[in-house]
Amino acid sequence: MTDGTNPPTNPQPEQPAPGSGGYGFPPGAPASGGYGFPPGPPASGGFGPPPGSDQDGGYGYPRQPGPQQPNPYWQDPGMPGPYDAPPASWQQGGSMPGPTAEPEPFRQRSDQPDWDALADRSASERRRKRVWVVVGTVTVLALLAGGGTFLLLGGGDGKGDDKPTAAASDSPAPSQSGVKNPIDLTPTVAGDPTTVRDQIGKANLKMGPEAGVFPIDKRHEMRTKGNANSFAESQQRVVDPSKSFTVSARLWNRSPKGQQIAVSQGNEKSFSFELGLDEVNGKPSWIFRVQTGTPGANAGTTTVTGTSSKMEKTFSELTGTYDAEKKVIALYVNGKRTGEAPVPADIFPAPGPLQLARSRHQDQWVSPWQGAMDSLRVYDAALPQERIDALKPGKLDPMVTPTGSWLLF
């Protein structure tokens, strides 16, 4: 057998007579059907050339006389091959007819991108970005113009004097919150770290050589060593003790032994009042004490006391008041009223300065304070309970103005 393109290498035998058999067929008339063909007339198409063709046989079969079986692999010249591109008329809104329609995956495609579409898309993106840049610029200019107009028309409350003043020393000023009219909280005088600054008045306090102001967390405190060189004092009297007054301080004590005075005022002879720590009936107690009469033989003292859960190495808020009208003194520890006492005579009106970390007794400096203190305030009025409750550590009561304040935060 050959592949149908070259002639056979051996000559073909002579054609047997019809009905005589041959080529594997039995003698006699050809069987109806065979090799898978049903009986009856030959089917259209088969192994061989189409009817009417003068092609001699096909695939090695000689031409038979009479009607021939059509070749199932014969291709109509007007039809496209299975691997040819379909006609344009078939690609427009219809599928290829018959079994020769081209499967979708085998259609011819182009590997080149659509450059025109890509260029249009890039140009569109550039235009969109330019629009956003223009809109953003216009918005920023409008906001700036609005802010400038607001300032030119006098926006805000116009209270320029309410702004805090510049820091008065090299120490950073602590922050304030919730204060309507903030004050300068710089702890020391500018250029003089040895002087504690009065943050509300003019009564600055000059420290001794072994006292100092130190920052801790977001505040400042004055620390003293409990000796004669560790103190601070004002140049003049801060409050008149013969009239109503209040004195308050937040105190930290290293060891509650003996008598230690944190705040006092008097003169070279004796004290008018003192606030601090003392032993009462053998136990440490917070005290507020005033001296009545003239220092000397006729002098007398009145004292109120109180305690707290911890008396050492923790901060406690002490506040003493004198009501000159009622002639009563009272002591508050951490905002709680711990006691009061009537004053039998006028308090000694000493004209001397305010003292920190010591007191004056019989022409001598006594009772040095060993520890730290901050939030010092003096008022020229006896604050009632509700105002005592409003005294927060490091803060001022907005309803009443002190005559002096130090180391607020």
Side-chain angles (χ1 to χ4, degrees):
M1 178 180 294
T2 70
D3 59 3
T5 58
N6 297 320
T9 56
N10 296 322
Q12 297 286 339
E14 294 183 359
Q15 183 176 1
S20 62
Y23 297 103
F25 291 97
S32 176
Y35 294 99
F37 291 98
S44 177
F47 293 89
S53 173
D54 57 356
Q55 182 179 351
D56 292 337
Y59 293 97
Y61 289 94
R63 181 179 180 184
Q64 299 291 336
Q68 301 294 319
Q69 295 288 339
N71 185 356
Y73 296 100
W74 175 82
Q75 178 68 45
D76 188 347
M79 298 290 290
Y83 298 103
D84 294 333
S89 60
W90 293 0
Q91 297 180 5
Q92 301 293 329
S95 61
M96 296 174 63
T100 59
E102 180 184 344
E104 180 68 21
F106 293 97
R107 291 189 179 180
Q108 294 182 353
R109 298 180 179 177
S110 174
D111 294 332
Q112 295 295 327
D114 191 342
W115 297 110
D116 293 337
L118 292 176
D120 292 342
R121 187 180 300 110
S122 177
S124 177
E125 291 293 336
R126 288 195 298 271
R127 286 194 298 272
R128 186 180 298 108
K129 290 181 179 179
R130 284 197 298 270
V131 169
W132 278 111
V133 170
V134 171
V135 171
T137 303
V138 171
T139 302
V140 171
L141 292 176
L143 291 174
L144 292 176
T149 303
F150 179 79
L151 293 176
L152 290 175
L153 294 178
D157 56 11
K159 297 179 180 179
D161 294 337
D162 288 344
K163 296 180 180 180
T165 59
S169 75
D170 297 332
S171 303
S175 61
Q176 297 183 82
S177 61
V179 180
K180 184 178 179 180
N181 297 314
I183 61 173
D184 185 1
L185 298 180
T186 307
T188 56
V189 173
D192 183 7
T194 66
T195 301
V196 183
R197 180 175 172 272
D198 182 358
Q199 296 167 331
I200 200 69
K202 299 179 180 179
N204 298 327
L205 306 175
K206 186 67 175 181
M207 289 183 288
E210 295 188 41
V213 172
F214 299 88
I216 179 170
D217 297 329
K218 294 182 179 180
R219 60 184 179 83
H220 290 76
E221 62 184 26
M222 190 182 85
R223 299 174 188 172
T224 54
K225 297 181 179 181
N227 59 43
N229 292 322
S230 193
F231 65 92
E233 65 177 357
S234 64
Q235 292 183 348
Q236 66 277 339
R237 184 173 69 178
V238 176
V239 66
D240 184 354
S242 65
K243 299 177 181 179
S244 297
F245 70 92
T246 299
V247 56
S248 180
R250 199 170 74 120
L251 308 175
W252 187 95
N253 183 265
R254 182 173 299 279
S255 177
K257 296 180 180 180
Q259 186 182 84
Q260 300 181 55
I261 301 303
V263 186
S264 70
Q265 186 178 281
N267 65 0
E268 70 282 356
K269 295 294 275 186
S270 185
F271 70 94
S272 293
F273 68 84
E274 54 188 13
L275 180 72
L277 182 71
D278 202 352
E279 290 188 7
V280 178
N281 299 324
K283 295 182 179 180
S285 297
W286 303 117
I287 61 103
F288 178 52
R289 180 182 291 127
V290 295
Q291 181 167 263
T292 58
T294 302
N298 297 325
T301 60
T302 302
T303 304
V304 288
T305 65
T307 59
S308 57
S309 58
K310 190 174 182 180
M311 301 289 294
E312 63 179 328
K313 296 181 180 179
T314 186
F315 272 102
S316 297
E317 185 89 14
L318 267 62
T319 303
T321 65
Y322 170 58
D323 189 333
E325 190 174 317
K326 296 180 180 179
K327 291 192 178 299
V328 173
I329 61 172
L331 175 65
Y332 300 81
V333 178
N334 296 326
K336 181 180 178 181
R337 189 184 182 103
T338 61
E340 65 176 27
V343 178
D346 292 336
I347 296 177
F348 172 51
L354 188 75
Q355 303 286 336
L356 299 185
R358 66 181 181 176
S359 184
R360 191 77 171 175
H361 283 228
Q362 299 179 356
D363 301 330
Q364 300 291 325
W365 293 115
V366 297
S367 310
W369 182 267
Q370 185 183 16
M373 62 184 74
D374 63 23
S375 301
L376 295 137
R377 292 158 289 195
V378 175
Y379 300 84
D380 57 0
L383 299 184
Q385 178 70 61
E386 59 269 20
R387 298 270 61 88
I388 300 295
D389 294 339
L391 291 177
K392 305 300 181 184
K395 303 295 185 295
L396 291 177
D397 181 359
M399 301 299 295
V400 60
T401 301
T403 57
S405 63
W406 305 265
L407 301 172
L408 300 180
F409 53 91

PDB file of all heavy atoms in Angstrom, residues 208-212 214 222-231 254 260 357 368-373:
ATOM      1  N   GLY A 208      18.452  79.604 100.989  1.00  0.00           N
ATOM      2  CA  GLY A 208      19.750  79.464 101.618  1.00  0.00           C
ATOM      3  C   GLY A 208      20.666  78.601 100.761  1.00  0.00           C
ATOM      4  O   GLY A 208      20.251  77.973  99.778  1.00  0.00           O
ATOM      5  N   PRO A 209      21.972  78.532 101.138  1.00  0.00           N
ATOM      6  CA  PRO A 209      22.949  77.835 100.293  1.00  0.00           C
ATOM      7  C   PRO A 209      22.713  76.333 100.163  1.00  0.00           C
ATOM      8  O   PRO A 209      23.241  75.715  99.229  1.00  0.00           O
ATOM      9  CB  PRO A 209      24.282  78.130 100.990  1.00  0.00           C
ATOM     10  CG  PRO A 209      23.924  78.468 102.401  1.00  0.00           C
ATOM     11  CD  PRO A 209      22.586  79.121 102.337  1.00  0.00           C
ATOM     12  N   GLU A 210      21.950  75.721 101.067  1.00  0.00           N
ATOM     13  CA  GLU A 210      21.743  74.280 100.991  1.00  0.00           C
ATOM     14  C   GLU A 210      20.290  73.916 100.700  1.00  0.00           C
ATOM     15  O   GLU A 210      19.827  72.824 101.030  1.00  0.00           O
ATOM     16  CB  GLU A 210      22.213  73.609 102.288  1.00  0.00           C
ATOM     17  CG  GLU A 210      23.703  73.741 102.509  1.00  0.00           C
ATOM     18  CD  GLU A 210      24.195  72.916 103.688  1.00  0.00           C
ATOM     19  OE1 GLU A 210      23.732  71.771 103.841  1.00  0.00           O
ATOM     20  OE2 GLU A 210      25.037  73.409 104.454  1.00  0.00           O
ATOM     21  N   ALA A 211      19.581  74.820 100.038  1.00  0.00           N
ATOM     22  CA  ALA A 211      18.226  74.557  99.548  1.00  0.00           C
ATOM     23  C   ALA A 211      18.234  74.740  98.036  1.00  0.00           C
ATOM     24  O   ALA A 211      19.069  75.484  97.492  1.00  0.00           O
ATOM     25  CB  ALA A 211      17.213  75.489 100.201  1.00  0.00           C
ATOM     26  N   GLY A 212      17.337  74.089  97.357  1.00  0.00           N
ATOM     27  CA  GLY A 212      17.297  74.204  95.904  1.00  0.00           C
ATOM     28  C   GLY A 212      15.957  73.782  95.335  1.00  0.00           C
ATOM     29  O   GLY A 212      15.173  73.078  95.972  1.00  0.00           O
ATOM     30  N   PHE A 214      14.159  71.737  92.251  1.00  0.00           N
ATOM     31  CA  PHE A 214      14.503  70.630  91.357  1.00  0.00           C
ATOM     32  C   PHE A 214      13.278  70.198  90.555  1.00  0.00           C
ATOM     33  O   PHE A 214      12.161  70.162  91.091  1.00  0.00           O
ATOM     34  CB  PHE A 214      15.028  69.436  92.161  1.00  0.00           C
ATOM     35  CG  PHE A 214      16.282  69.722  92.945  1.00  0.00           C
ATOM     36  CD1 PHE A 214      16.217  70.247  94.244  1.00  0.00           C
ATOM     37  CD2 PHE A 214      17.523  69.492  92.386  1.00  0.00           C
ATOM     38  CE1 PHE A 214      17.356  70.515  94.963  1.00  0.00           C
ATOM     39  CE2 PHE A 214      18.682  69.757  93.107  1.00  0.00           C
ATOM     40  CZ  PHE A 214      18.600  70.273  94.393  1.00  0.00           C
ATOM     41  N   MET A 222      10.833  72.433  95.986  1.00  0.00           N
ATOM     42  CA  MET A 222      11.984  72.900  96.750  1.00  0.00           C
ATOM     43  C   MET A 222      12.356  71.823  97.768  1.00  0.00           C
ATOM     44  O   MET A 222      11.487  71.296  98.468  1.00  0.00           O
ATOM     45  CB  MET A 222      11.677  74.192  97.495  1.00  0.00           C
ATOM     46  CG  MET A 222      12.924  74.828  98.108  1.00  0.00           C
ATOM     47  SD  MET A 222      12.602  76.344  99.044  1.00  0.00           S
ATOM     48  CE  MET A 222      12.169  75.667 100.641  1.00  0.00           C
ATOM     49  N   ARG A 223      13.650  71.504  97.813  1.00  0.00           N
ATOM     50  CA  ARG A 223      14.143  70.473  98.722  1.00  0.00           C
ATOM     51  C   ARG A 223      15.074  71.105  99.751  1.00  0.00           C
ATOM     52  O   ARG A 223      15.918  71.941  99.416  1.00  0.00           O
ATOM     53  CB  ARG A 223      14.875  69.381  97.955  1.00  0.00           C
ATOM     54  CG  ARG A 223      14.005  68.660  96.943  1.00  0.00           C
ATOM     55  CD  ARG A 223      14.800  67.686  96.113  1.00  0.00           C
ATOM     56  NE  ARG A 223      13.996  67.143  95.020  1.00  0.00           N
ATOM     57  CZ  ARG A 223      14.481  66.385  94.038  1.00  0.00           C
ATOM     58  NH1 ARG A 223      15.787  66.089  94.032  1.00  0.00           N
ATOM     59  NH2 ARG A 223      13.698  65.941  93.085  1.00  0.00           N
ATOM     60  N   THR A 224      14.890  70.666 100.993  1.00  0.00           N
ATOM     61  CA  THR A 224      15.716  71.177 102.094  1.00  0.00           C
ATOM     62  C   THR A 224      16.274  70.008 102.904  1.00  0.00           C
ATOM     63  O   THR A 224      15.669  68.931 102.959  1.00  0.00           O
ATOM     64  CB  THR A 224      14.893  72.104 103.001  1.00  0.00           C
ATOM     65  OG1 THR A 224      13.714  71.410 103.436  1.00  0.00           O
ATOM     66  CG2 THR A 224      14.490  73.362 102.261  1.00  0.00           C
ATOM     67  N   LYS A 225      17.410  70.249 103.536  1.00  0.00           N
ATOM     68  CA  LYS A 225      18.143  69.180 104.210  1.00  0.00           C
ATOM     69  C   LYS A 225      17.915  69.124 105.721  1.00  0.00           C
ATOM     70  O   LYS A 225      18.472  68.263 106.389  1.00  0.00           O
ATOM     71  CB  LYS A 225      19.635  69.333 103.933  1.00  0.00           C
ATOM     72  CG  LYS A 225      19.994  69.204 102.470  1.00  0.00           C
ATOM     73  CD  LYS A 225      21.495  69.345 102.256  1.00  0.00           C
ATOM     74  CE  LYS A 225      21.875  69.192 100.791  1.00  0.00           C
ATOM     75  NZ  LYS A 225      23.347  69.315 100.584  1.00  0.00           N
ATOM     76  N   GLY A 226      17.120  70.036 106.276  1.00  0.00           N
ATOM     77  CA  GLY A 226      16.873  69.999 107.715  1.00  0.00           C
ATOM     78  C   GLY A 226      17.998  70.593 108.539  1.00  0.00           C
ATOM     79  O   GLY A 226      18.252  70.132 109.657  1.00  0.00           O
ATOM     80  N   ASN A 227      18.683  71.610 108.013  1.00  0.00           N
ATOM     81  CA  ASN A 227      19.736  72.281 108.795  1.00  0.00           C
ATOM     82  C   ASN A 227      19.571  73.787 108.682  1.00  0.00           C
ATOM     83  O   ASN A 227      18.673  74.282 107.975  1.00  0.00           O
ATOM     84  CB  ASN A 227      21.138  71.831 108.349  1.00  0.00           C
ATOM     85  CG  ASN A 227      21.405  72.109 106.876  1.00  0.00           C
ATOM     86  OD1 ASN A 227      21.068  73.175 106.354  1.00  0.00           O
ATOM     87  ND2 ASN A 227      22.015  71.140 106.197  1.00  0.00           N
ATOM     88  N   ALA A 228      20.435  74.533 109.333  1.00  0.00           N
ATOM     89  CA  ALA A 228      20.302  75.987 109.419  1.00  0.00           C
ATOM     90  C   ALA A 228      20.537  76.693 108.094  1.00  0.00           C
ATOM     91  O   ALA A 228      20.108  77.850 107.921  1.00  0.00           O
ATOM     92  CB  ALA A 228      21.276  76.533 110.476  1.00  0.00           C
ATOM     93  N   ASN A 229      21.182  76.042 107.132  1.00  0.00           N
ATOM     94  CA  ASN A 229      21.469  76.670 105.844  1.00  0.00           C
ATOM     95  C   ASN A 229      20.483  76.259 104.745  1.00  0.00           C
ATOM     96  O   ASN A 229      20.683  76.581 103.578  1.00  0.00           O
ATOM     97  CB  ASN A 229      22.886  76.320 105.397  1.00  0.00           C
ATOM     98  CG  ASN A 229      23.947  76.947 106.275  1.00  0.00           C
ATOM     99  OD1 ASN A 229      23.789  78.089 106.716  1.00  0.00           O
ATOM    100  ND2 ASN A 229      25.014  76.202 106.542  1.00  0.00           N
ATOM    101  N   SER A 230      19.446  75.549 105.114  1.00  0.00           N
ATOM    102  CA  SER A 230      18.508  75.014 104.129  1.00  0.00           C
ATOM    103  C   SER A 230      17.128  75.622 104.390  1.00  0.00           C
ATOM    104  O   SER A 230      16.343  75.093 105.178  1.00  0.00           O
ATOM    105  CB  SER A 230      18.475  73.489 104.237  1.00  0.00           C
ATOM    106  OG  SER A 230      17.830  72.919 103.134  1.00  0.00           O
ATOM    107  N   PHE A 231      16.807  76.734 103.693  1.00  0.00           N
ATOM    108  CA  PHE A 231      15.568  77.483 103.934  1.00  0.00           C
ATOM    109  C   PHE A 231      15.314  78.415 102.757  1.00  0.00           C
ATOM    110  O   PHE A 231      16.113  78.502 101.816  1.00  0.00           O
ATOM    111  CB  PHE A 231      15.691  78.314 105.226  1.00  0.00           C
ATOM    112  CG  PHE A 231      16.742  79.395 105.139  1.00  0.00           C
ATOM    113  CD1 PHE A 231      16.424  80.682 104.726  1.00  0.00           C
ATOM    114  CD2 PHE A 231      18.076  79.117 105.456  1.00  0.00           C
ATOM    115  CE1 PHE A 231      17.398  81.669 104.628  1.00  0.00           C
ATOM    116  CE2 PHE A 231      19.051  80.103 105.358  1.00  0.00           C
ATOM    117  CZ  PHE A 231      18.708  81.372 104.937  1.00  0.00           C
ATOM    118  N   ARG A 254      10.869  63.510 105.213  1.00  0.00           N
ATOM    119  CA  ARG A 254      11.718  62.317 105.180  1.00  0.00           C
ATOM    120  C   ARG A 254      11.570  61.479 106.458  1.00  0.00           C
ATOM    121  O   ARG A 254      11.531  60.249 106.399  1.00  0.00           O
ATOM    122  CB  ARG A 254      13.180  62.704 104.979  1.00  0.00           C
ATOM    123  CG  ARG A 254      14.130  61.536 104.881  1.00  0.00           C
ATOM    124  CD  ARG A 254      15.524  61.998 104.524  1.00  0.00           C
ATOM    125  NE  ARG A 254      15.549  62.667 103.231  1.00  0.00           N
ATOM    126  CZ  ARG A 254      15.592  62.028 102.047  1.00  0.00           C
ATOM    127  NH1 ARG A 254      15.597  60.695 102.025  1.00  0.00           N
ATOM    128  NH2 ARG A 254      15.638  62.711 100.929  1.00  0.00           N
ATOM    129  N   GLN A 260       9.167  70.116 113.080  1.00  0.00           N
ATOM    130  CA  GLN A 260       9.661  70.585 111.793  1.00  0.00           C
ATOM    131  C   GLN A 260       8.591  71.497 111.192  1.00  0.00           C
ATOM    132  O   GLN A 260       7.447  71.090 111.016  1.00  0.00           O
ATOM    133  CB  GLN A 260       9.949  69.418 110.839  1.00  0.00           C
ATOM    134  CG  GLN A 260      10.994  68.425 111.347  1.00  0.00           C
ATOM    135  CD  GLN A 260      11.254  67.311 110.343  1.00  0.00           C
ATOM    136  OE1 GLN A 260      11.588  67.566 109.199  1.00  0.00           O
ATOM    137  NE2 GLN A 260      11.119  66.075 110.798  1.00  0.00           N
ATOM    138  N   ALA A 357      10.674  76.287 105.586  1.00  0.00           N
ATOM    139  CA  ALA A 357      11.554  75.263 106.152  1.00  0.00           C
ATOM    140  C   ALA A 357      12.183  75.663 107.485  1.00  0.00           C
ATOM    141  O   ALA A 357      13.170  75.060 107.913  1.00  0.00           O
ATOM    142  CB  ALA A 357      12.649  74.862 105.157  1.00  0.00           C
ATOM    143  N   PRO A 368      13.953  73.161 111.613  1.00  0.00           N
ATOM    144  CA  PRO A 368      14.189  73.043 110.158  1.00  0.00           C
ATOM    145  C   PRO A 368      13.442  71.846 109.553  1.00  0.00           C
ATOM    146  O   PRO A 368      13.292  70.807 110.189  1.00  0.00           O
ATOM    147  CB  PRO A 368      15.709  72.879 110.057  1.00  0.00           C
ATOM    148  CG  PRO A 368      16.111  72.275 111.367  1.00  0.00           C
ATOM    149  CD  PRO A 368      15.186  72.842 112.390  1.00  0.00           C
ATOM    150  N   TRP A 369      13.007  72.041 108.320  1.00  0.00           N
ATOM    151  CA  TRP A 369      12.241  71.008 107.602  1.00  0.00           C
ATOM    152  C   TRP A 369      13.195  70.152 106.776  1.00  0.00           C
ATOM    153  O   TRP A 369      14.042  70.667 106.036  1.00  0.00           O
ATOM    154  CB  TRP A 369      11.206  71.660 106.687  1.00  0.00           C
ATOM    155  CG  TRP A 369      10.344  70.678 105.934  1.00  0.00           C
ATOM    156  CD1 TRP A 369      10.566  70.189 104.681  1.00  0.00           C
ATOM    157  CD2 TRP A 369       9.149  70.073 106.402  1.00  0.00           C
ATOM    158  NE1 TRP A 369       9.576  69.311 104.334  1.00  0.00           N
ATOM    159  CE2 TRP A 369       8.680  69.222 105.374  1.00  0.00           C
ATOM    160  CE3 TRP A 369       8.421  70.162 107.596  1.00  0.00           C
ATOM    161  CZ2 TRP A 369       7.516  68.466 105.494  1.00  0.00           C
ATOM    162  CZ3 TRP A 369       7.257  69.423 107.715  1.00  0.00           C
ATOM    163  CH2 TRP A 369       6.816  68.574 106.678  1.00  0.00           C
ATOM    164  N   GLN A 370      13.020  68.821 106.892  1.00  0.00           N
ATOM    165  CA  GLN A 370      13.829  67.896 106.099  1.00  0.00           C
ATOM    166  C   GLN A 370      12.917  67.171 105.108  1.00  0.00           C
ATOM    167  O   GLN A 370      12.159  66.277 105.479  1.00  0.00           O
ATOM    168  CB  GLN A 370      14.535  66.877 107.006  1.00  0.00           C
ATOM    169  CG  GLN A 370      15.483  65.952 106.237  1.00  0.00           C
ATOM    170  CD  GLN A 370      16.122  64.912 107.138  1.00  0.00           C
ATOM    171  OE1 GLN A 370      15.658  64.677 108.256  1.00  0.00           O
ATOM    172  NE2 GLN A 370      17.203  64.290 106.664  1.00  0.00           N
ATOM    173  N   GLY A 371      12.988  67.570 103.871  1.00  0.00           N
ATOM    174  CA  GLY A 371      12.122  66.949 102.858  1.00  0.00           C
ATOM    175  C   GLY A 371      11.935  67.855 101.666  1.00  0.00           C
ATOM    176  O   GLY A 371      12.884  68.482 101.186  1.00  0.00           O
ATOM    177  N   ALA A 372      10.691  67.932 101.163  1.00  0.00           N
ATOM    178  CA  ALA A 372      10.385  68.719  99.961  1.00  0.00           C
ATOM    179  C   ALA A 372       9.019  69.364 100.129  1.00  0.00           C
ATOM    180  O   ALA A 372       8.204  68.961 100.970  1.00  0.00           O
ATOM    181  CB  ALA A 372      10.412  67.831  98.722  1.00  0.00           C
ATOM    182  N   MET A 373       8.759  70.377  99.264  1.00  0.00           N
ATOM    183  CA  MET A 373       7.456  71.052  99.282  1.00  0.00           C
ATOM    184  C   MET A 373       7.193  71.705  97.941  1.00  0.00           C
ATOM    185  O   MET A 373       8.120  72.052  97.193  1.00  0.00           O
ATOM    186  CB  MET A 373       7.407  72.100 100.414  1.00  0.00           C
ATOM    187  CG  MET A 373       8.425  73.211 100.280  1.00  0.00           C
ATOM    188  SD  MET A 373       8.402  74.345 101.716  1.00  0.00           S
ATOM    189  CE  MET A 373       9.191  73.327 102.958  1.00  0.00           C
TER     190      MET A 373
END
